[in-house]
Amino acid sequence: MILDSGSPIGIFDSGIGGLSVLRHIHALLPAENLLYISDAAYVPYGEKSEQEITARCMLIAQHLFAQGVKALVVACNTATAASIQKLRAAYPEQIIIGMEPGLKPAAACSNNHVVGVLATQRTLQSEKYQRLRDQLIQETQTRFVAQACVGLVNLIEQTEMDATELEQLLHAYLQVMANAGADTLVLGCTHYPFVRESIESVYARLRPGLAAATIIDTGIAVAQHLQRLLIQNQLQNLHIIEDTTHSASIAAYTTGDVTHLRSMLNKLLQLDNCPASPLQLAG
């Protein structure tokens, strides 16, 4: 299949978390056509085995490349840690971008060299995360206080999130970081930016009188890296779309509940006219 600048960009996650990355991509590259897959039938990836996660990622990548995407964004930290190397080995000629843990920028901007990391258990157990953490500990003498946020993804996935439950979860998970004095927090899962304000609010109450913590959301960096690779490969869509009848498109698909995806597109991204369709992936 011949790719050109008008070919779409494929983005996927286990649920709606990857929409936090999609919004950065859409903001930076508004002329690009985007295809989003929510693998909601298997959410959350963070509670699956590495083999299960990799199998789903390979299946989704195969589907998206068959649709002619010019680049693939694995908009999930857990999926990136489990499968990015295998995906690149299977598709060596394709542009494939994953999520970085965010530890390096966090270490660079922390004033007291104490960084809190909110992530899934699977991400924290991954070789990719642990190798980078150990490298940065040696190079920067940063202390990383990691917390597996069990249940947080499922809560964010709910159409109507329970504010009290969210507050209780965040208080429990952030307390250890406040006790350690972390002045920088890494959002190590693409779902977490959707509750960023709550994270900031709870953490501020746990550290009264202290300056607000720096929050690291790597979605922006992913969008910028994608733009660089598209330019290098002469695939960026440079057409300035002025005719409202020919705007760039965003199409979403889910292996789960289509009504839920439509609701979340509207709630999280204000995309009430974004087409959302069911998707069946055999495998």
Side-chain angles (χ1 to χ4, degrees):
M1 185 174 294
I2 299 175
L3 301 179
D4 59 32
S5 62
S7 298
I9 295 165
I11 306 165
F12 78 90
D13 182 25
S14 63
I16 54 90
L19 294 176
S20 68
V21 180
L22 181 147
R23 66 180 174 182
H24 289 305
I25 293 173
H26 183 54
L28 183 64
L29 302 167
E32 299 293 349
N33 299 306
L34 307 178
L35 296 181
Y36 183 79
I37 291 180
S38 163
D39 194 19
Y42 287 80
V43 69
Y45 281 169
E47 296 176 12
K48 304 292 189 296
S49 70
E50 184 171 319
Q51 291 74 19
E52 286 179 286
I53 298 165
T54 299
R56 295 304 299 174
C57 292
M58 295 297 285
L59 199 60
I60 292 168
Q62 181 183 40
H63 174 80
L64 284 170
F65 284 128
Q67 303 306 306
V69 300
K70 62 184 178 183
L72 177 68
V73 178
V74 184
C76 173
N77 295 77
T78 300
T80 297
S83 69
I84 197 73
Q85 292 181 344
K86 296 180 181 68
L87 286 169
R88 288 174 176 156
Y91 300 97
E93 303 300 319
Q94 303 286 359
I95 297 174
I96 300 177
I97 298 172
M99 301 301 299
E100 290 300 320
L103 303 189
K104 191 171 182 178
C109 71
S110 174
N111 292 318
N112 66 358
H113 302 290
V114 183
V115 172
V117 183
L118 299 161
T120 68
Q121 187 66 54
R122 183 61 59 189
T123 293
L124 297 177
Q125 291 174 340
S126 71
E127 180 184 349
K128 180 183 179 70
Y129 169 83
Q130 294 181 6
R131 184 171 61 246
L132 179 60
R133 177 203 60 195
D134 294 345
Q135 175 189 335
L136 289 170
I137 289 173
Q138 267 197 326
E139 293 177 355
T140 68
Q141 287 72 58
T142 297
R143 178 187 176 194
F144 294 99
V145 183
Q147 177 63 55
C149 300
V150 178
L152 188 53
V153 167
N154 284 335
L155 187 60
I156 296 169
E157 284 281 333
Q158 294 176 11
T159 305
E160 295 299 329
M161 200 185 314
D162 187 316
T164 301
E165 186 179 354
L166 175 64
E167 179 98 2
Q168 292 172 343
L169 272 181
L170 292 178
H171 189 281
Y173 292 149
L174 291 167
Q175 183 69 67
V176 64
M177 297 175 186
N179 292 345
D183 68 349
T184 304
L185 300 179
V186 175
L187 305 185
C189 171
T190 55
H191 280 75
Y192 301 168
F194 288 123
V195 292
R196 175 173 177 160
E197 289 184 4
S198 296
I199 289 171
E200 291 174 328
S201 175
V202 170
Y203 202 59
R205 292 200 301 274
L206 289 170
R207 302 167 72 242
L210 297 178
T214 299
I215 305 293
I216 304 296
D217 170 9
T218 58
I220 298 171
V222 167
Q224 293 169 338
H225 184 47
L226 171 63
Q227 182 182 43
R228 287 193 295 270
L229 290 180
L230 291 177
I231 292 171
Q232 288 173 15
N233 289 274
Q234 298 182 316
L235 286 173
Q236 184 177 7
N237 192 354
L238 297 176
H239 300 296
I240 305 301
I241 301 170
E242 298 177 348
D243 183 351
T244 57
T245 63
H246 293 86
S247 59
S249 66
I250 300 176
Y253 301 85
T254 181
T255 58
D257 183 353
V258 177
T259 302
H260 175 257
L261 178 58
R262 288 196 187 106
S263 173
M264 299 305 275
L265 284 165
N266 188 14
K267 174 185 175 184
L268 300 175
L269 302 183
Q270 290 74 56
L271 293 173
D272 52 351
N273 293 319
C274 177
S277 307
L279 178 67
Q280 291 187 342
L281 293 172

